[in-house]
Amino acid sequence: QKEVEQNSGPLSVPEGAIASLNCTYSDRGSQSFFWYRQYSGKSPELIMFIYSNGDKEDGRFTAQLNKASQYVSLLIRDSQPSDSATYLCAVQGGSEKLVFGKGTKLTVNP
Amino acid sequence: GAGVSQTPSNKVTEKGKYVELRCDPISGHTALYWYRQSLGQGPEFLIYFQGTGAADDSGLPNDRFFAVRPEGSVSTLKIQRTERGDSAVYLCASSTRDGRTYEQYFGPGTRLTVT
């Protein structure tokens, strides 16, 4: 059973701080890694993807991948109240399907 | 451009009834996926189409669930003899799958409630 694990939270950070979201996966053959943001009552929105070991930066977001440790993370710099949402980690292996974690609920306090 | 669209946005049906959920992918996207999401859980894969054919239906929970994509664009997820446990948000996603990128973009979902 291929699994993706995330801390369910909630994770609470003050406005302007760095939010760090973590994800581990069990399938060592996984190739592609995605972070989705999901606001309450809405569908998942793709915010970052990473395919290679290392860091990938896009604005206030940085995705980090360590395949040896089977670990992927998302850093959100200068967190804003509008970043408050559930963040879903998704992993894609040899097949096309995404395997999702349960998500981490983030609250950014003004 | 237009994103993935799904209809209806909400569907309430009685136990034992038949339902159809529709997905219209992003124009030009050849790959289409169905997931379902229960409260407090991440989306769970159901089926994947590449073109008109179902390339992977390993996530369909049982033979009451069936999906088609006859012309390689719009897809319909069909659920027979609905049960209360089928209540969930059904999400559709599409992807270009052009060999370089594999990102999946989700539609707004259909909330199915079986009473």
PDB file of all heavy atoms in Angstrom, chain B residues 94-111:
ATOM      1  N   SER B  94      -7.632  17.184 -15.091  1.00  0.00           N
ATOM      2  CA  SER B  94      -7.093  16.897 -16.416  1.00  0.00           C
ATOM      3  C   SER B  94      -5.634  17.333 -16.485  1.00  0.00           C
ATOM      4  O   SER B  94      -5.155  18.117 -15.655  1.00  0.00           O
ATOM      5  CB  SER B  94      -7.930  17.563 -17.517  1.00  0.00           C
ATOM      6  OG  SER B  94      -7.781  18.969 -17.529  1.00  0.00           O
ATOM      7  N   SER B  95      -4.942  16.791 -17.482  1.00  0.00           N
ATOM      8  CA  SER B  95      -3.513  17.022 -17.609  1.00  0.00           C
ATOM      9  C   SER B  95      -3.128  16.938 -19.073  1.00  0.00           C
ATOM     10  O   SER B  95      -3.741  16.195 -19.846  1.00  0.00           O
ATOM     11  CB  SER B  95      -2.752  15.957 -16.807  1.00  0.00           C
ATOM     12  OG  SER B  95      -1.361  16.017 -17.026  1.00  0.00           O
ATOM     13  N   THR B  96      -2.079  17.674 -19.455  1.00  0.00           N
ATOM     14  CA  THR B  96      -1.618  17.574 -20.824  1.00  0.00           C
ATOM     15  C   THR B  96      -0.881  16.268 -21.063  1.00  0.00           C
ATOM     16  O   THR B  96      -0.947  15.695 -22.135  1.00  0.00           O
ATOM     17  CB  THR B  96      -0.654  18.730 -21.161  1.00  0.00           C
ATOM     18  OG1 THR B  96       0.458  18.661 -20.261  1.00  0.00           O
ATOM     19  CG2 THR B  96      -1.337  20.065 -21.025  1.00  0.00           C
ATOM     20  N   ARG B  97      -0.186  15.819 -20.045  1.00  0.00           N
ATOM     21  CA  ARG B  97       0.627  14.611 -20.142  1.00  0.00           C
ATOM     22  C   ARG B  97       1.427  14.633 -21.452  1.00  0.00           C
ATOM     23  O   ARG B  97       1.357  13.734 -22.269  1.00  0.00           O
ATOM     24  CB  ARG B  97      -0.222  13.363 -20.045  1.00  0.00           C
ATOM     25  CG  ARG B  97       0.612  12.140 -19.681  1.00  0.00           C
ATOM     26  CD  ARG B  97      -0.159  10.859 -19.737  1.00  0.00           C
ATOM     27  NE  ARG B  97       0.697   9.716 -19.428  1.00  0.00           N
ATOM     28  CZ  ARG B  97       1.458   9.107 -20.317  1.00  0.00           C
ATOM     29  NH1 ARG B  97       1.481   9.520 -21.562  1.00  0.00           N
ATOM     30  NH2 ARG B  97       2.195   8.086 -19.977  1.00  0.00           N
ATOM     31  N   ASP B  98       2.202  15.709 -21.632  1.00  0.00           N
ATOM     32  CA  ASP B  98       2.913  15.845 -22.900  1.00  0.00           C
ATOM     33  C   ASP B  98       4.320  15.270 -22.837  1.00  0.00           C
ATOM     34  O   ASP B  98       5.126  15.514 -23.722  1.00  0.00           O
ATOM     35  CB  ASP B  98       2.979  17.327 -23.287  1.00  0.00           C
ATOM     36  CG  ASP B  98       3.755  18.153 -22.272  1.00  0.00           C
ATOM     37  OD1 ASP B  98       4.296  17.578 -21.310  1.00  0.00           O
ATOM     38  OD2 ASP B  98       3.811  19.378 -22.451  1.00  0.00           O
ATOM     39  N   GLY B  99       4.615  14.520 -21.798  1.00  0.00           N
ATOM     40  CA  GLY B  99       5.933  13.904 -21.670  1.00  0.00           C
ATOM     41  C   GLY B  99       6.897  14.741 -20.867  1.00  0.00           C
ATOM     42  O   GLY B  99       7.914  14.246 -20.413  1.00  0.00           O
ATOM     43  N   ARG B 100       6.562  16.001 -20.681  1.00  0.00           N
ATOM     44  CA  ARG B 100       7.440  16.880 -19.898  1.00  0.00           C
ATOM     45  C   ARG B 100       6.802  17.268 -18.573  1.00  0.00           C
ATOM     46  O   ARG B 100       7.477  17.452 -17.588  1.00  0.00           O
ATOM     47  CB  ARG B 100       7.760  18.150 -20.694  1.00  0.00           C
ATOM     48  CG  ARG B 100       8.604  17.915 -21.929  1.00  0.00           C
ATOM     49  CD  ARG B 100       8.873  19.207 -22.669  1.00  0.00           C
ATOM     50  NE  ARG B 100       7.669  19.731 -23.279  1.00  0.00           N
ATOM     51  CZ  ARG B 100       7.064  20.834 -22.888  1.00  0.00           C
ATOM     52  NH1 ARG B 100       7.514  21.515 -21.869  1.00  0.00           N
ATOM     53  NH2 ARG B 100       5.981  21.254 -23.509  1.00  0.00           N
ATOM     54  N   THR B 101       5.518  17.429 -18.615  1.00  0.00           N
ATOM     55  CA  THR B 101       4.840  17.869 -17.397  1.00  0.00           C
ATOM     56  C   THR B 101       3.676  16.946 -17.103  1.00  0.00           C
ATOM     57  O   THR B 101       3.056  16.409 -18.020  1.00  0.00           O
ATOM     58  CB  THR B 101       4.313  19.308 -17.540  1.00  0.00           C
ATOM     59  OG1 THR B 101       3.380  19.349 -18.621  1.00  0.00           O
ATOM     60  CG2 THR B 101       5.451  20.262 -17.808  1.00  0.00           C
ATOM     61  N   TYR B 102       3.380  16.766 -15.859  1.00  0.00           N
ATOM     62  CA  TYR B 102       2.354  15.820 -15.445  1.00  0.00           C
ATOM     63  C   TYR B 102       1.387  16.444 -14.458  1.00  0.00           C
ATOM     64  O   TYR B 102       0.704  15.740 -13.751  1.00  0.00           O
ATOM     65  CB  TYR B 102       3.026  14.599 -14.811  1.00  0.00           C
ATOM     66  CG  TYR B 102       3.988  13.925 -15.748  1.00  0.00           C
ATOM     67  CD1 TYR B 102       5.338  14.241 -15.754  1.00  0.00           C
ATOM     68  CD2 TYR B 102       3.534  12.983 -16.663  1.00  0.00           C
ATOM     69  CE1 TYR B 102       6.221  13.637 -16.630  1.00  0.00           C
ATOM     70  CE2 TYR B 102       4.404  12.368 -17.543  1.00  0.00           C
ATOM     71  CZ  TYR B 102       5.747  12.698 -17.522  1.00  0.00           C
ATOM     72  OH  TYR B 102       6.603  12.112 -18.390  1.00  0.00           O
ATOM     73  N   GLU B 103       1.354  17.762 -14.420  1.00  0.00           N
ATOM     74  CA  GLU B 103       0.505  18.418 -13.433  1.00  0.00           C
ATOM     75  C   GLU B 103      -0.971  18.181 -13.725  1.00  0.00           C
ATOM     76  O   GLU B 103      -1.398  18.245 -14.873  1.00  0.00           O
ATOM     77  CB  GLU B 103       0.773  19.928 -13.411  1.00  0.00           C
ATOM     78  CG  GLU B 103       2.198  20.312 -13.085  1.00  0.00           C
ATOM     79  CD  GLU B 103       3.038  20.477 -14.328  1.00  0.00           C
ATOM     80  OE1 GLU B 103       2.946  21.553 -14.946  1.00  0.00           O
ATOM     81  OE2 GLU B 103       3.773  19.541 -14.704  1.00  0.00           O
ATOM     82  N   GLN B 104      -1.719  17.906 -12.701  1.00  0.00           N
ATOM     83  CA  GLN B 104      -3.156  17.689 -12.816  1.00  0.00           C
ATOM     84  C   GLN B 104      -3.894  18.892 -12.213  1.00  0.00           C
ATOM     85  O   GLN B 104      -3.580  19.316 -11.102  1.00  0.00           O
ATOM     86  CB  GLN B 104      -3.564  16.397 -12.104  1.00  0.00           C
ATOM     87  CG  GLN B 104      -2.940  15.161 -12.727  1.00  0.00           C
ATOM     88  CD  GLN B 104      -3.336  13.874 -12.049  1.00  0.00           C
ATOM     89  OE1 GLN B 104      -4.349  13.800 -11.350  1.00  0.00           O
ATOM     90  NE2 GLN B 104      -2.532  12.839 -12.240  1.00  0.00           N
ATOM     91  N   TYR B 105      -4.876  19.371 -12.966  1.00  0.00           N
ATOM     92  CA  TYR B 105      -5.659  20.535 -12.549  1.00  0.00           C
ATOM     93  C   TYR B 105      -7.090  20.086 -12.293  1.00  0.00           C
ATOM     94  O   TYR B 105      -7.712  19.438 -13.144  1.00  0.00           O
ATOM     95  CB  TYR B 105      -5.608  21.625 -13.625  1.00  0.00           C
ATOM     96  CG  TYR B 105      -4.209  22.129 -13.832  1.00  0.00           C
ATOM     97  CD1 TYR B 105      -3.372  21.561 -14.791  1.00  0.00           C
ATOM     98  CD2 TYR B 105      -3.702  23.159 -13.047  1.00  0.00           C
ATOM     99  CE1 TYR B 105      -2.076  22.002 -14.959  1.00  0.00           C
ATOM    100  CE2 TYR B 105      -2.399  23.617 -13.216  1.00  0.00           C
ATOM    101  CZ  TYR B 105      -1.592  23.023 -14.167  1.00  0.00           C
ATOM    102  OH  TYR B 105      -0.308  23.457 -14.328  1.00  0.00           O
ATOM    103  N   PHE B 106      -7.591  20.456 -11.123  1.00  0.00           N
ATOM    104  CA  PHE B 106      -8.888  19.959 -10.684  1.00  0.00           C
ATOM    105  C   PHE B 106     -10.028  20.909 -11.035  1.00  0.00           C
ATOM    106  O   PHE B 106      -9.855  22.136 -11.074  1.00  0.00           O
ATOM    107  CB  PHE B 106      -8.889  19.757  -9.161  1.00  0.00           C
ATOM    108  CG  PHE B 106      -8.177  18.521  -8.727  1.00  0.00           C
ATOM    109  CD1 PHE B 106      -6.813  18.532  -8.514  1.00  0.00           C
ATOM    110  CD2 PHE B 106      -8.869  17.327  -8.563  1.00  0.00           C
ATOM    111  CE1 PHE B 106      -6.145  17.376  -8.129  1.00  0.00           C
ATOM    112  CE2 PHE B 106      -8.209  16.171  -8.170  1.00  0.00           C
ATOM    113  CZ  PHE B 106      -6.847  16.200  -7.952  1.00  0.00           C
ATOM    114  N   GLY B 107     -11.184  20.315 -11.265  1.00  0.00           N
ATOM    115  CA  GLY B 107     -12.420  21.072 -11.392  1.00  0.00           C
ATOM    116  C   GLY B 107     -12.998  21.357 -10.021  1.00  0.00           C
ATOM    117  O   GLY B 107     -12.432  20.956  -8.997  1.00  0.00           O
ATOM    118  N   PRO B 108     -14.163  22.029  -9.995  1.00  0.00           N
ATOM    119  CA  PRO B 108     -14.760  22.441  -8.718  1.00  0.00           C
ATOM    120  C   PRO B 108     -15.393  21.297  -7.938  1.00  0.00           C
ATOM    121  O   PRO B 108     -15.691  21.452  -6.758  1.00  0.00           O
ATOM    122  CB  PRO B 108     -15.805  23.467  -9.134  1.00  0.00           C
ATOM    123  CG  PRO B 108     -16.147  23.080 -10.532  1.00  0.00           C
ATOM    124  CD  PRO B 108     -14.892  22.554 -11.146  1.00  0.00           C
ATOM    125  N   GLY B 109     -15.607  20.161  -8.588  1.00  0.00           N
ATOM    126  CA  GLY B 109     -16.171  19.009  -7.903  1.00  0.00           C
ATOM    127  C   GLY B 109     -17.684  18.945  -7.952  1.00  0.00           C
ATOM    128  O   GLY B 109     -18.372  19.952  -8.194  1.00  0.00           O
ATOM    129  N   THR B 110     -18.202  17.740  -7.760  1.00  0.00           N
ATOM    130  CA  THR B 110     -19.644  17.511  -7.572  1.00  0.00           C
ATOM    131  C   THR B 110     -19.827  16.901  -6.197  1.00  0.00           C
ATOM    132  O   THR B 110     -19.250  15.859  -5.890  1.00  0.00           O
ATOM    133  CB  THR B 110     -20.211  16.548  -8.624  1.00  0.00           C
ATOM    134  OG1 THR B 110     -20.140  17.143  -9.914  1.00  0.00           O
ATOM    135  CG2 THR B 110     -21.662  16.201  -8.293  1.00  0.00           C
ATOM    136  N   ARG B 111     -20.619  17.586  -5.364  1.00  0.00           N
ATOM    137  CA  ARG B 111     -20.913  17.042  -4.033  1.00  0.00           C
ATOM    138  C   ARG B 111     -22.117  16.124  -4.154  1.00  0.00           C
ATOM    139  O   ARG B 111     -23.228  16.578  -4.471  1.00  0.00           O
ATOM    140  CB  ARG B 111     -21.198  18.166  -3.035  1.00  0.00           C
ATOM    141  CG  ARG B 111     -21.481  17.652  -1.620  1.00  0.00           C
ATOM    142  CD  ARG B 111     -21.633  18.812  -0.639  1.00  0.00           C
ATOM    143  NE  ARG B 111     -20.411  19.604  -0.560  1.00  0.00           N
ATOM    144  CZ  ARG B 111     -19.356  19.302   0.194  1.00  0.00           C
ATOM    145  NH1 ARG B 111     -19.379  18.206   0.947  1.00  0.00           N
ATOM    146  NH2 ARG B 111     -18.304  20.079   0.229  1.00  0.00           N
TER     147      ARG B 111
END
